[in-house]
Amino acid sequence: MIPEKELVAQLQNPKEKNAAFGQLVDAYQERLYWHIRKMVTTHENADDVLQNTFIRIYKSIQNFQEKSSLHTWMYRIAYNESIRFLDKNKKKDYDNID
């Protein structure tokens, strides 16, 4: 894997973004999956949240300010996506009870 600063520079360069994003997914997919899986518990839900996480990372990479590591920033996005998913499903459960 290439150094983090170089990867971030490539991700923020429109000409290199897609290739760099493929490297990012390859490098972090499994770690982010298990981070999410601990929160949402099922494989199917973890896959959905992981996909949403990578979509959000792809759309937001231009806003990454390098105040933390890329790894930390992505884990925070994964955590927030997991919480959104759990909150959304909790509301569905309450709707079904009523």
Side-chain angles (χ1 to χ4, degrees), residues 50-88:
L50 181 63
Q51 181 176 3
N52 291 340
T53 298
F54 278 118
I55 290 169
R56 189 168 296 268
I57 289 168
Y58 187 84
K59 289 180 177 180
S60 302
I61 194 66
Q62 292 301 112
N63 300 326
F64 178 60
Q65 299 174 0
E66 299 184 52
K67 291 181 180 177
S68 63
S69 70
L70 180 63
H71 175 74
T72 300
W73 182 73
M74 291 189 310
Y75 266 67
R76 189 63 188 179
I77 291 172
Y79 174 82
N80 289 338
E81 285 298 315
S82 299
I83 296 299
R84 278 188 200 94
F85 176 83
L86 292 171
D87 286 346
K88 184 174 140 185

Side-chain angles (χ1 to χ4, degrees), residues 40-55:
V40 300
T41 66
T42 68
H43 171 71
E44 293 79 15
N45 291 342
D47 276 347
D48 290 343
V49 174
L50 181 63
Q51 181 176 3
N52 291 340
T53 298
F54 278 118
I55 290 169

Side-chain angles (χ1 to χ4, degrees), residues 1-2 7 10 18-28:
M1 187 175 145
I2 63 174
L7 181 60
Q10 289 177 359
N18 290 334
F21 191 73
Q23 291 179 352
L24 178 89
V25 170
D26 289 343
Y28 291 99

